[in-house]
Amino acid sequence: MTTHQSSVAGVASATSSNRGPRTLLVKHADVLVTMDGERRELKDAGLYIEGNRIVAVGPTSELPASADEVLDLRGHLVMPGLVNTHHHMYQSLTRAIPAAQNAELFGWLTNLYRIWAHITPEMIEVSTLTAMAELLLSGCTTSSDHLYLYPNGSRLDDSIAAACRIGMRFHASRGSMSVGRKDGGLPPDSLVERESDILEDTARLIETYHDEGRYAMLRVVVAPCSPFSVSRDLMRESAVLARRYGVSMHTHLAENVNDVAYSREKFGMTPAEYAEDLGWVGPDVWHAHCVQLDASGIALFARTRTGVAHCPCSNMRLASGIAPIRKMRDAGVPVGLGVDGSASNDGAQMIGEARQALLLQRVGFGPDAMTAREALEIATLGGAAVLGRDDIGALAPGMAADFIAFDLRQPLFAGALHDPVAALVFCAPSQVAYSVIDGRVVVREGRLATVDLGPLVERHNALARTLTQAAR
Ligand SMILES: [Zn+2]
């Protein structure tokens, strides 16, 4: 992995002249959460990594004694990297916008569209970097992003450039909107694209970037924004295109009661029936929110292995309701976690999102509706399944070398160390001490190793100012 050596230069000490893949040894973690088939939690344990994959997991005493780089993680909890299945990273330019602070979905969108119409390619790249930095520091190692508006020459390539620069494993979703206000849709006409252009650009992106291989760092997803912003034809043709290339499909569905009412009035069906009618169910499909998915929708999703991205903070922020995650999980629906766009959260704190998932299920369905370990499982294995991956989400031989470490000696965990795994969810959200993605150290001792955060945040804030002023 020669391309990754620069990130660990100066720390590594070569122990052999062997020219095989670069090796990394993690040892003495207080607890190592495997998320393997037996859900083992190991004490005084570690990992041995060759290149970008895990070769061994176990007690420190059973692992090789040396490696090109050794991380002694005494005092830390190590676990698989968290997987974010729904986001709109460009929205990190428009957090806490006064006119959109107190509205439900449709009103919130209407207030923001007129600002987003001024977004530029640089804004996409910078906001994606900032959003990814926030995700990485909060434990996320793989993220999807749903970019569905492309004003002023913006392209999905701008997000992809950011992911490559910061070192995040990325599922880039080519979103789209095609039904503007003059055709009865919600978005302004200036923000919608021609359907033929959308399909053509989506094919270009898949052919240019999509890596279907194991340990892929970059995949492309076909993702019309929502049933209320694209036509029936585009939904159908997008599904045909995705299946021709063998890539995943993603959209928003059944987010709140107005969304359901729109579907009934416009299409004469519930959102789940509409999705089925369009070919938008199956193991290669995942839908964001599904707060108002009814019993037959849950049964349909379970039967077809259609995934759900659960976004508890956003659902609370927009008062969309409490998604029936307990029922979905019991029925066998694949469920992952999503922070959702930064204009409806307005934080992208991944471990915090797992905590909110637990708390919100309990508000809705009782104190045993979700345990801390189930919340962590949804945030790791759940997300991996929803994105169609079996090479991330667990620490086991043959899995991708993606892991995170939390320092258990912080005040926020004090008094909770009789169960550090549960503490991670019950206590206040922590930032990570380490994050390793594809075998590369991306966060070291709590600091991002790939991007200089100070100038990035300064540029981000300047662009956010330019954007909101342009909309005045
Ligand atoms: Zn969303």
Side-chain angles (χ1 to χ4, degrees), residues 161-205:
C164 295
R165 195 169 142 205
I166 207 163
M168 174 161 259
R169 203 179 289 281
F170 190 39
H171 285 225
S173 301
R174 206 306 181 179
S176 54
M177 300 197 291
S178 67
V179 180
R181 216 156 284 160
K182 73 171 161 43
D183 299 316
L186 198 64
D189 297 317
S190 67
L191 275 180
V192 303
E193 296 175 273
R194 278 220 316 261
E195 300 199 342
S196 56
D197 293 348
I198 292 167
L199 293 166
E200 195 181 307
D201 190 51
T202 308
R204 173 189 70 83
L205 289 158

mmCIF file of all heavy atoms in Angstrom, residues 161-205:
data_model
loop_
_atom_site.group_PDB
_atom_site.id
_atom_site.type_symbol
_atom_site.label_atom_id
_atom_site.label_comp_id
_atom_site.label_asym_id
_atom_site.label_seq_id
_atom_site.Cartn_x
_atom_site.Cartn_y
_atom_site.Cartn_z
ATOM 1 N N ALA A 161 -14.064 13.965 -5.319
ATOM 2 C CA ALA A 161 -12.716 14.508 -5.107
ATOM 3 C C ALA A 161 -12.468 14.703 -3.609
ATOM 4 O O ALA A 161 -11.374 14.409 -3.101
ATOM 5 C CB ALA A 161 -12.568 15.830 -5.853
ATOM 6 N N ALA A 162 -13.483 15.183 -2.900
ATOM 7 C CA ALA A 162 -13.337 15.424 -1.456
ATOM 8 C C ALA A 162 -13.105 14.107 -0.713
ATOM 9 O O ALA A 162 -12.235 14.013 0.164
ATOM 10 C CB ALA A 162 -14.579 16.125 -0.915
ATOM 11 N N ALA A 163 -13.879 13.079 -1.056
ATOM 12 C CA ALA A 163 -13.742 11.781 -0.371
ATOM 13 C C ALA A 163 -12.345 11.206 -0.578
ATOM 14 O O ALA A 163 -11.733 10.681 0.355
ATOM 15 C CB ALA A 163 -14.799 10.805 -0.889
ATOM 16 N N CYS A 164 -11.840 11.315 -1.806
ATOM 17 C CA CYS A 164 -10.508 10.774 -2.087
ATOM 18 C C CYS A 164 -9.460 11.536 -1.283
ATOM 19 O O CYS A 164 -8.529 10.940 -0.747
ATOM 20 C CB CYS A 164 -10.192 10.879 -3.579
ATOM 21 S SG CYS A 164 -11.285 9.869 -4.582
ATOM 22 N N ARG A 165 -9.643 12.851 -1.175
ATOM 23 C CA ARG A 165 -8.643 13.658 -0.478
ATOM 24 C C ARG A 165 -8.615 13.335 1.020
ATOM 25 O O ARG A 165 -7.553 13.200 1.620
ATOM 26 C CB ARG A 165 -8.971 15.139 -0.696
ATOM 27 C CG ARG A 165 -7.817 16.025 -0.343
ATOM 28 C CD ARG A 165 -8.070 17.458 -0.811
ATOM 29 N NE ARG A 165 -7.562 18.378 0.188
ATOM 30 C CZ ARG A 165 -8.000 19.610 0.361
ATOM 31 N NH1 ARG A 165 -8.967 20.077 -0.388
ATOM 32 N NH2 ARG A 165 -7.475 20.370 1.280
ATOM 33 N N ILE A 166 -9.776 13.173 1.622
ATOM 34 C CA ILE A 166 -9.804 12.996 3.079
ATOM 35 C C ILE A 166 -9.624 11.530 3.479
ATOM 36 O O ILE A 166 -9.282 11.227 4.617
ATOM 37 C CB ILE A 166 -11.102 13.608 3.657
ATOM 38 C CG1 ILE A 166 -10.890 14.042 5.108
ATOM 39 C CG2 ILE A 166 -12.272 12.657 3.535
ATOM 40 C CD1 ILE A 166 -11.937 14.998 5.627
ATOM 41 N N GLY A 167 -9.874 10.605 2.530
ATOM 42 C CA GLY A 167 -9.632 9.193 2.820
ATOM 43 C C GLY A 167 -10.811 8.422 3.380
ATOM 44 O O GLY A 167 -10.638 7.439 4.087
ATOM 45 N N MET A 168 -12.034 8.873 3.054
ATOM 46 C CA MET A 168 -13.226 8.171 3.545
ATOM 47 C C MET A 168 -13.704 7.151 2.521
ATOM 48 O O MET A 168 -13.641 7.386 1.316
ATOM 49 C CB MET A 168 -14.322 9.199 3.809
ATOM 50 C CG MET A 168 -15.654 8.597 4.197
ATOM 51 S SD MET A 168 -16.712 9.807 5.025
ATOM 52 C CE MET A 168 -16.471 9.300 6.722
ATOM 53 N N ARG A 169 -14.192 6.003 2.996
ATOM 54 C CA ARG A 169 -14.823 5.025 2.095
ATOM 55 C C ARG A 169 -16.187 5.598 1.717
ATOM 56 O O ARG A 169 -16.958 5.995 2.585
ATOM 57 C CB ARG A 169 -14.962 3.674 2.821
ATOM 58 C CG ARG A 169 -15.061 2.492 1.896
ATOM 59 C CD ARG A 169 -15.167 1.172 2.652
ATOM 60 N NE ARG A 169 -13.946 0.762 3.328
ATOM 61 C CZ ARG A 169 -12.898 0.187 2.742
ATOM 62 N NH1 ARG A 169 -12.917 -0.063 1.451
ATOM 63 N NH2 ARG A 169 -11.829 -0.147 3.446
ATOM 64 N N PHE A 170 -16.494 5.636 0.415
ATOM 65 C CA PHE A 170 -17.575 6.521 -0.032
ATOM 66 C C PHE A 170 -18.520 5.848 -1.016
ATOM 67 O O PHE A 170 -18.078 5.223 -1.988
ATOM 68 C CB PHE A 170 -16.921 7.748 -0.691
ATOM 69 C CG PHE A 170 -17.865 8.887 -1.005
ATOM 70 C CD1 PHE A 170 -18.896 9.236 -0.142
ATOM 71 C CD2 PHE A 170 -17.693 9.644 -2.162
ATOM 72 C CE1 PHE A 170 -19.749 10.296 -0.418
ATOM 73 C CE2 PHE A 170 -18.544 10.714 -2.462
ATOM 74 C CZ PHE A 170 -19.564 11.037 -1.583
ATOM 75 N N HIS A 171 -19.819 5.971 -0.742
ATOM 76 C CA HIS A 171 -20.853 5.576 -1.701
ATOM 77 C C HIS A 171 -21.516 6.865 -2.185
ATOM 78 O O HIS A 171 -22.351 7.450 -1.485
ATOM 79 C CB HIS A 171 -21.875 4.641 -1.055
ATOM 80 C CG HIS A 171 -21.341 3.250 -0.849
ATOM 81 N ND1 HIS A 171 -22.065 2.128 -1.155
ATOM 82 C CD2 HIS A 171 -20.146 2.808 -0.387
ATOM 83 C CE1 HIS A 171 -21.333 1.046 -0.884
ATOM 84 N NE2 HIS A 171 -20.169 1.438 -0.412
ATOM 85 N N ALA A 172 -21.111 7.318 -3.360
ATOM 86 C CA ALA A 172 -21.570 8.599 -3.902
ATOM 87 C C ALA A 172 -22.883 8.391 -4.643
ATOM 88 O O ALA A 172 -22.928 7.687 -5.647
ATOM 89 C CB ALA A 172 -20.511 9.154 -4.849
ATOM 90 N N SER A 173 -23.946 9.008 -4.145
ATOM 91 C CA SER A 173 -25.268 8.805 -4.757
ATOM 92 C C SER A 173 -25.586 9.931 -5.731
ATOM 93 O O SER A 173 -25.658 11.098 -5.341
ATOM 94 C CB SER A 173 -26.346 8.730 -3.674
ATOM 95 O OG SER A 173 -26.072 7.672 -2.796
ATOM 96 N N ARG A 174 -25.798 9.554 -7.008
ATOM 97 C CA ARG A 174 -26.135 10.538 -8.035
ATOM 98 C C ARG A 174 -27.629 10.809 -7.918
ATOM 99 O O ARG A 174 -28.471 10.120 -8.491
ATOM 100 C CB ARG A 174 -25.785 10.007 -9.424
ATOM 101 C CG ARG A 174 -25.493 11.058 -10.509
ATOM 102 C CD ARG A 174 -26.554 12.094 -10.723
ATOM 103 N NE ARG A 174 -26.210 13.047 -11.780
ATOM 104 C CZ ARG A 174 -27.010 14.044 -12.156
ATOM 105 N NH1 ARG A 174 -28.157 14.253 -11.554
ATOM 106 N NH2 ARG A 174 -26.634 14.864 -13.132
ATOM 107 N N GLY A 175 -27.952 11.840 -7.124
ATOM 108 C CA GLY A 175 -29.345 12.233 -6.965
ATOM 109 C C GLY A 175 -29.812 13.034 -8.159
ATOM 110 O O GLY A 175 -29.041 13.329 -9.073
ATOM 111 N N SER A 176 -31.109 13.394 -8.135
ATOM 112 C CA SER A 176 -31.652 14.187 -9.240
ATOM 113 C C SER A 176 -33.029 14.710 -8.878
ATOM 114 O O SER A 176 -33.733 14.132 -8.049
ATOM 115 C CB SER A 176 -31.759 13.319 -10.499
ATOM 116 O OG SER A 176 -32.500 12.142 -10.226
ATOM 117 N N MET A 177 -33.377 15.834 -9.522
ATOM 118 C CA MET A 177 -34.743 16.359 -9.440
ATOM 119 C C MET A 177 -35.150 16.739 -10.854
ATOM 120 O O MET A 177 -34.373 17.361 -11.579
ATOM 121 C CB MET A 177 -34.797 17.592 -8.533
ATOM 122 C CG MET A 177 -34.351 17.295 -7.092
ATOM 123 S SD MET A 177 -34.849 18.562 -5.914
ATOM 124 C CE MET A 177 -33.819 19.924 -6.425
ATOM 125 N N SER A 178 -36.374 16.341 -11.268
ATOM 126 C CA SER A 178 -36.789 16.637 -12.642
ATOM 127 C C SER A 178 -38.169 17.271 -12.738
ATOM 128 O O SER A 178 -38.563 17.735 -13.803
ATOM 129 C CB SER A 178 -36.737 15.365 -13.494
ATOM 130 O OG SER A 178 -37.719 14.461 -13.062
ATOM 131 N N VAL A 179 -38.919 17.298 -11.635
ATOM 132 C CA VAL A 179 -40.260 17.889 -11.690
ATOM 133 C C VAL A 179 -40.251 19.181 -10.878
ATOM 134 O O VAL A 179 -40.268 19.165 -9.647
ATOM 135 C CB VAL A 179 -41.324 16.908 -11.145
ATOM 136 C CG1 VAL A 179 -42.716 17.548 -11.218
ATOM 137 C CG2 VAL A 179 -41.316 15.609 -11.942
ATOM 138 N N GLY A 180 -40.189 20.297 -11.583
ATOM 139 C CA GLY A 180 -40.149 21.604 -10.932
ATOM 140 C C GLY A 180 -41.549 22.119 -10.648
ATOM 141 O O GLY A 180 -42.553 21.445 -10.913
ATOM 142 N N ARG A 181 -41.588 23.345 -10.123
ATOM 143 C CA ARG A 181 -42.864 23.919 -9.687
ATOM 144 C C ARG A 181 -43.885 24.019 -10.825
ATOM 145 O O ARG A 181 -45.062 23.759 -10.607
ATOM 146 C CB ARG A 181 -42.604 25.289 -9.061
ATOM 147 C CG ARG A 181 -43.524 25.552 -7.894
ATOM 148 C CD ARG A 181 -42.945 26.557 -6.927
ATOM 149 N NE ARG A 181 -41.893 25.973 -6.090
ATOM 150 C CZ ARG A 181 -40.987 26.705 -5.448
ATOM 151 N NH1 ARG A 181 -40.985 28.017 -5.541
ATOM 152 N NH2 ARG A 181 -40.075 26.119 -4.687
ATOM 153 N N LYS A 182 -43.419 24.348 -12.029
ATOM 154 C CA LYS A 182 -44.398 24.523 -13.113
ATOM 155 C C LYS A 182 -45.073 23.205 -13.505
ATOM 156 O O LYS A 182 -46.125 23.189 -14.101
ATOM 157 C CB LYS A 182 -43.751 25.212 -14.320
ATOM 158 C CG LYS A 182 -42.803 24.366 -15.138
ATOM 159 C CD LYS A 182 -42.415 25.122 -16.434
ATOM 160 C CE LYS A 182 -41.160 24.613 -17.109
ATOM 161 N NZ LYS A 182 -40.947 23.176 -17.217
ATOM 162 N N ASP A 183 -44.441 22.087 -13.132
ATOM 163 C CA ASP A 183 -45.050 20.777 -13.416
ATOM 164 C C ASP A 183 -45.687 20.153 -12.182
ATOM 165 O O ASP A 183 -45.946 18.949 -12.152
ATOM 166 C CB ASP A 183 -43.986 19.824 -13.982
ATOM 167 C CG ASP A 183 -43.387 20.345 -15.287
ATOM 168 O OD1 ASP A 183 -44.174 20.811 -16.138
ATOM 169 O OD2 ASP A 183 -42.149 20.315 -15.442
ATOM 170 N N GLY A 184 -45.893 20.932 -11.130
ATOM 171 C CA GLY A 184 -46.567 20.427 -9.941
ATOM 172 C C GLY A 184 -45.631 19.834 -8.901
ATOM 173 O O GLY A 184 -46.080 19.250 -7.917
ATOM 174 N N GLY A 185 -44.312 19.976 -9.091
ATOM 175 C CA GLY A 185 -43.357 19.467 -8.103
ATOM 176 C C GLY A 185 -43.050 20.522 -7.052
ATOM 177 O O GLY A 185 -43.561 21.642 -7.105
ATOM 178 N N LEU A 186 -42.186 20.204 -6.128
ATOM 179 C CA LEU A 186 -41.855 21.131 -5.050
ATOM 180 C C LEU A 186 -40.661 22.037 -5.374
ATOM 181 O O LEU A 186 -40.660 23.216 -5.032
ATOM 182 C CB LEU A 186 -41.595 20.323 -3.767
ATOM 183 C CG LEU A 186 -41.646 21.083 -2.451
ATOM 184 C CD1 LEU A 186 -43.037 21.637 -2.160
ATOM 185 C CD2 LEU A 186 -41.187 20.196 -1.302
ATOM 186 N N PRO A 187 -39.595 21.523 -6.029
ATOM 187 C CA PRO A 187 -38.408 22.368 -6.231
ATOM 188 C C PRO A 187 -38.628 23.467 -7.273
ATOM 189 O O PRO A 187 -39.441 23.304 -8.185
ATOM 190 C CB PRO A 187 -37.338 21.384 -6.722
ATOM 191 C CG PRO A 187 -38.050 20.162 -7.147
ATOM 192 C CD PRO A 187 -39.389 20.145 -6.497
ATOM 193 N N PRO A 188 -37.894 24.585 -7.158
ATOM 194 C CA PRO A 188 -37.978 25.628 -8.180
ATOM 195 C C PRO A 188 -37.480 25.099 -9.523
ATOM 196 O O PRO A 188 -36.615 24.215 -9.567
ATOM 197 C CB PRO A 188 -37.061 26.739 -7.651
ATOM 198 C CG PRO A 188 -36.187 26.098 -6.630
ATOM 199 C CD PRO A 188 -36.920 24.910 -6.099
ATOM 200 N N ASP A 189 -38.016 25.639 -10.611
ATOM 201 C CA ASP A 189 -37.664 25.136 -11.941
ATOM 202 C C ASP A 189 -36.177 25.260 -12.244
ATOM 203 O O ASP A 189 -35.619 24.466 -13.000
ATOM 204 C CB ASP A 189 -38.505 25.852 -13.000
ATOM 205 C CG ASP A 189 -39.993 25.561 -12.805
ATOM 206 O OD1 ASP A 189 -40.325 24.375 -12.554
ATOM 207 O OD2 ASP A 189 -40.810 26.489 -12.850
ATOM 208 N N SER A 190 -35.509 26.244 -11.623
ATOM 209 C CA SER A 190 -34.073 26.433 -11.915
ATOM 210 C C SER A 190 -33.226 25.301 -11.335
ATOM 211 O O SER A 190 -32.070 25.142 -11.719
ATOM 212 C CB SER A 190 -33.604 27.767 -11.335
ATOM 213 O OG SER A 190 -33.661 27.712 -9.921
ATOM 214 N N LEU A 191 -33.764 24.510 -10.433
ATOM 215 C CA LEU A 191 -32.962 23.452 -9.798
ATOM 216 C C LEU A 191 -33.213 22.069 -10.374
ATOM 217 O O LEU A 191 -32.647 21.092 -9.912
ATOM 218 C CB LEU A 191 -33.210 23.422 -8.286
ATOM 219 C CG LEU A 191 -32.366 24.383 -7.433
ATOM 220 C CD1 LEU A 191 -32.730 24.238 -5.957
ATOM 221 C CD2 LEU A 191 -30.876 24.160 -7.631
ATOM 222 N N VAL A 192 -34.097 21.968 -11.373
ATOM 223 C CA VAL A 192 -34.359 20.637 -11.918
ATOM 224 C C VAL A 192 -33.572 20.434 -13.222
ATOM 225 O O VAL A 192 -33.210 21.387 -13.897
ATOM 226 C CB VAL A 192 -35.872 20.370 -12.151
ATOM 227 C CG1 VAL A 192 -36.647 20.560 -10.853
ATOM 228 C CG2 VAL A 192 -36.431 21.245 -13.250
ATOM 229 N N GLU A 193 -33.322 19.168 -13.545
ATOM 230 C CA GLU A 193 -32.563 18.818 -14.750
ATOM 231 C C GLU A 193 -33.466 18.068 -15.731
ATOM 232 O O GLU A 193 -34.476 17.485 -15.338
ATOM 233 C CB GLU A 193 -31.404 17.883 -14.389
ATOM 234 C CG GLU A 193 -30.343 18.468 -13.488
ATOM 235 C CD GLU A 193 -29.330 17.395 -13.106
ATOM 236 O OE1 GLU A 193 -29.565 16.677 -12.113
ATOM 237 O OE2 GLU A 193 -28.324 17.256 -13.808
ATOM 238 N N ARG A 194 -33.020 18.030 -16.993
ATOM 239 C CA ARG A 194 -33.718 17.210 -17.990
ATOM 240 C C ARG A 194 -33.445 15.741 -17.692
ATOM 241 O O ARG A 194 -32.317 15.361 -17.383
ATOM 242 C CB ARG A 194 -33.188 17.515 -19.393
ATOM 243 C CG ARG A 194 -33.785 18.746 -20.037
ATOM 244 C CD ARG A 194 -34.063 18.499 -21.540
ATOM 245 N NE ARG A 194 -32.952 17.802 -22.194
ATOM 246 C CZ ARG A 194 -32.014 18.410 -22.931
ATOM 247 N NH1 ARG A 194 -32.063 19.711 -23.100
ATOM 248 N NH2 ARG A 194 -31.047 17.716 -23.509
ATOM 249 N N GLU A 195 -34.483 14.895 -17.843
ATOM 250 C CA GLU A 195 -34.328 13.490 -17.460
ATOM 251 C C GLU A 195 -33.274 12.777 -18.300
ATOM 252 O O GLU A 195 -32.524 11.951 -17.795
ATOM 253 C CB GLU A 195 -35.688 12.788 -17.492
ATOM 254 C CG GLU A 195 -36.648 13.473 -16.515
ATOM 255 C CD GLU A 195 -37.851 12.656 -16.100
ATOM 256 O OE1 GLU A 195 -38.169 11.668 -16.793
ATOM 257 O OE2 GLU A 195 -38.462 13.024 -15.065
ATOM 258 N N SER A 196 -33.187 13.125 -19.581
ATOM 259 C CA SER A 196 -32.179 12.458 -20.422
ATOM 260 C C SER A 196 -30.769 12.830 -19.945
ATOM 261 O O SER A 196 -29.858 12.000 -19.950
ATOM 262 C CB SER A 196 -32.389 12.831 -21.893
ATOM 263 O OG SER A 196 -32.368 14.242 -22.027
ATOM 264 N N ASP A 197 -30.587 14.085 -19.512
ATOM 265 C CA ASP A 197 -29.275 14.517 -19.001
ATOM 266 C C ASP A 197 -28.918 13.766 -17.712
ATOM 267 O O ASP A 197 -27.765 13.388 -17.490
ATOM 268 C CB ASP A 197 -29.270 16.024 -18.701
ATOM 269 C CG ASP A 197 -29.405 16.864 -19.964
ATOM 270 O OD1 ASP A 197 -29.273 16.295 -21.069
ATOM 271 O OD2 ASP A 197 -29.645 18.077 -19.843
ATOM 272 N N ILE A 198 -29.922 13.585 -16.853
ATOM 273 C CA ILE A 198 -29.698 12.897 -15.574
ATOM 274 C C ILE A 198 -29.197 11.477 -15.826
ATOM 275 O O ILE A 198 -28.193 11.035 -15.259
ATOM 276 C CB ILE A 198 -31.012 12.857 -14.743
ATOM 277 C CG1 ILE A 198 -31.390 14.267 -14.281
ATOM 278 C CG2 ILE A 198 -30.886 11.886 -13.561
ATOM 279 C CD1 ILE A 198 -32.809 14.393 -13.744
ATOM 280 N N LEU A 199 -29.910 10.761 -16.718
ATOM 281 C CA LEU A 199 -29.548 9.364 -16.969
ATOM 282 C C LEU A 199 -28.172 9.252 -17.624
ATOM 283 O O LEU A 199 -27.375 8.369 -17.297
ATOM 284 C CB LEU A 199 -30.629 8.695 -17.826
ATOM 285 C CG LEU A 199 -31.980 8.534 -17.092
ATOM 286 C CD1 LEU A 199 -33.097 8.194 -18.081
ATOM 287 C CD2 LEU A 199 -31.898 7.468 -15.993
ATOM 288 N N GLU A 200 -27.900 10.184 -18.523
ATOM 289 C CA GLU A 200 -26.617 10.159 -19.221
ATOM 290 C C GLU A 200 -25.457 10.421 -18.254
ATOM 291 O O GLU A 200 -24.425 9.737 -18.277
ATOM 292 C CB GLU A 200 -26.652 11.248 -20.307
ATOM 293 C CG GLU A 200 -25.570 11.123 -21.350
ATOM 294 C CD GLU A 200 -25.682 12.262 -22.367
ATOM 295 O OE1 GLU A 200 -26.786 12.448 -22.937
ATOM 296 O OE2 GLU A 200 -24.689 12.973 -22.549
ATOM 297 N N ASP A 201 -25.649 11.416 -17.373
ATOM 298 C CA ASP A 201 -24.582 11.740 -16.418
ATOM 299 C C ASP A 201 -24.402 10.606 -15.401
ATOM 300 O O ASP A 201 -23.284 10.306 -14.977
ATOM 301 C CB ASP A 201 -24.894 13.054 -15.693
ATOM 302 C CG ASP A 201 -23.704 13.544 -14.872
ATOM 303 O OD1 ASP A 201 -22.588 13.619 -15.437
ATOM 304 O OD2 ASP A 201 -23.869 13.819 -13.674
ATOM 305 N N THR A 202 -25.501 9.966 -15.017
ATOM 306 C CA THR A 202 -25.408 8.860 -14.072
ATOM 307 C C THR A 202 -24.585 7.719 -14.674
ATOM 308 O O THR A 202 -23.704 7.155 -14.012
ATOM 309 C CB THR A 202 -26.816 8.364 -13.678
ATOM 310 O OG1 THR A 202 -27.588 9.484 -13.237
ATOM 311 C CG2 THR A 202 -26.755 7.335 -12.563
ATOM 312 N N ALA A 203 -24.845 7.402 -15.937
ATOM 313 C CA ALA A 203 -24.081 6.340 -16.608
ATOM 314 C C ALA A 203 -22.603 6.720 -16.683
ATOM 315 O O ALA A 203 -21.715 5.899 -16.438
ATOM 316 C CB ALA A 203 -24.649 6.092 -17.999
ATOM 317 N N ARG A 204 -22.330 7.991 -16.993
ATOM 318 C CA ARG A 204 -20.930 8.471 -17.057
ATOM 319 C C ARG A 204 -20.226 8.247 -15.707
ATOM 320 O O ARG A 204 -19.098 7.742 -15.653
ATOM 321 C CB ARG A 204 -20.904 9.964 -17.393
ATOM 322 C CG ARG A 204 -19.506 10.587 -17.306
ATOM 323 C CD ARG A 204 -19.510 12.108 -17.428
ATOM 324 N NE ARG A 204 -20.078 12.823 -16.294
ATOM 325 C CZ ARG A 204 -19.409 13.113 -15.171
ATOM 326 N NH1 ARG A 204 -18.162 12.749 -15.015
ATOM 327 N NH2 ARG A 204 -20.017 13.765 -14.185
ATOM 328 N N LEU A 205 -20.916 8.601 -14.622
ATOM 329 C CA LEU A 205 -20.303 8.478 -13.293
ATOM 330 C C LEU A 205 -20.023 7.025 -12.937
ATOM 331 O O LEU A 205 -18.968 6.689 -12.397
ATOM 332 C CB LEU A 205 -21.220 9.121 -12.241
ATOM 333 C CG LEU A 205 -21.273 10.648 -12.328
ATOM 334 C CD1 LEU A 205 -22.539 11.188 -11.680
ATOM 335 C CD2 LEU A 205 -20.036 11.266 -11.678
#
